[in-house]
């Protein structure tokens, strides 16, 4: 590479292209780690869409269902992830940092379709579904997921006062013997019990 910085033979342009690609790879690796695609030494893993789900993994898998509402709800998922990082669980987190509000909620939009199909597959694959229904949100998708999994033993629900359909959620939980908790700390403790 003795003459790679000469400008007349295109080597400088090639070198700059190489550096750009290297920077892109580093950014992609960092983004994957932030998104939770990397596995911690104890086996704890966070998987977000559109990354493949871990269907063959023997580890306990937890889906984080509940309020997102295009960022209206706080990032409660980060709190759960942080609290469970000492387990060897696999966490399916549907909250995406790269979500684009311009994607249409129609199956004809490939990004939307990919997200919905990922969530359905991850819900089905999960051993536990923890659901937080935040006050002052409506969370219609979460309510649909509650209906889909009410008759299973997968759900743990935290639905505090202030959620617009708390009465309906409480009635469904009572009817189908779904575990409910009263605080975020109790939700974390219940998830930890299932993860170990």
């Amino acid at each position: 590479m003795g003459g790679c910085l000469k400008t007349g033979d295109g080597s400088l342009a090639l070198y700059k292209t190489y550096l750009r690609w290297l920077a892109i790879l580093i950014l992609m690796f960092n983004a994957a780690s932030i998104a939770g695609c990397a596995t911690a030494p104890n086996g704890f893993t966070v998987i977000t869409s559109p990354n493949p789900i871990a269907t063959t993994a023997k580890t306990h898998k937890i889906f984080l269902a509940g309020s997102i509402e295009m960022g209206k709800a706080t990032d409660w998922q980060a709190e759960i992830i942080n609290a469970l990082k000492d387990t060897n669980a696999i966490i399916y987190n549907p909250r995406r940092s790269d979500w684009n509000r311009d994607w249409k909620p129609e199956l004809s939009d490939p990004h939307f379709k990919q997200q919905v199909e990922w969530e359905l597959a991850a819900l089905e694959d999960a051993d536990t579904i923890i659901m937080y229904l935040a006050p002052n949100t409506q969370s219609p998708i979460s309510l649909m997921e509650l209906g889909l999994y009410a008759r299973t033993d997968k759900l743990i629900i935290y639905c505090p006062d202030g959620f617009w359909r708390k009465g309906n959620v409480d009635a469904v939980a009572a009817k189908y013997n779904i575990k409910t908790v009263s605080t975020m700390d109790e939700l974390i403790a219940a998830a930890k019990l299932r993860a170990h």
Side-chain angles (χ1 to χ4, degrees):
M1 290 204 136
C4 73
L5 294 180
K6 292 180 184 174
T7 57
D9 66 358
S11 296
L12 181 60
L14 182 62
Y15 181 71
K16 286 181 178 179
T17 300
Y18 167 78
L19 288 178
R20 267 188 241 117
W21 277 109
L22 183 61
I24 289 169
L25 287 172
I26 290 169
L27 287 172
M28 287 171 58
F29 176 77
N30 286 339
S33 297
I34 291 166
C37 299
T39 301
N42 62 348
F44 178 76
T45 306
V46 179
I47 301 174
T48 57
S49 175
N51 295 298
I53 61 171
T55 55
T56 60
K58 301 298 182 204
T59 304
H60 194 84
K61 294 171 268 187
I62 300 173
F63 186 91
L64 305 181
S67 303
I68 297 176
E69 292 201 27
M70 304 276 234
K72 184 177 179 182
T74 62
D75 188 358
W76 62 272
Q77 293 90 346
E79 183 179 351
I80 299 286
I81 290 166
N82 188 52
L84 296 177
K85 67 183 176 192
D86 63 338
T87 70
N88 66 348
I90 294 174
I91 307 296
Y92 292 133
N93 184 8
R95 185 183 285 261
R96 291 175 63 163
S97 60
D98 66 343
W99 184 258
N100 185 332
R101 293 175 187 259
D102 294 330
W103 295 343
K104 291 181 171 56
E106 301 168 357
L107 286 181
S108 60
D109 185 306
H111 301 290
F112 174 79
K113 181 179 180 187
Q114 179 185 49
Q115 178 71 21
V116 171
E117 289 175 348
W118 182 91
E119 288 184 29
L120 290 170
L123 281 159
E124 190 170 312
D125 190 57
D127 302 299
T128 298
I129 300 168
I130 61 173
M131 182 174 288
Y132 170 58
L133 299 166
N136 303 313
T137 67
Q138 294 191 338
S139 307
I141 305 307
S142 300
L143 292 174
M144 181 180 65
E145 293 166 349
L146 170 59
L148 284 171
Y149 289 94
R151 292 176 184 254
T152 70
D153 63 351
K154 291 184 175 192
L155 282 163
I156 304 170
I157 302 172
Y158 173 34
C159 184
D161 291 336
F163 184 72
W164 75 299
R165 291 290 184 219
K166 179 174 174 42
N168 295 86
V169 172
D170 290 345
V172 169
K175 168 89 175 157
Y176 296 105
N177 296 315
I178 299 169
K179 179 167 182 58
T180 60
V181 296
S182 301
T183 67
M184 186 62 75
D185 288 341
E186 289 178 14
L187 185 63
I188 290 167
K192 279 187 173 186
L193 276 176
R194 296 234 185 144
H196 287 291

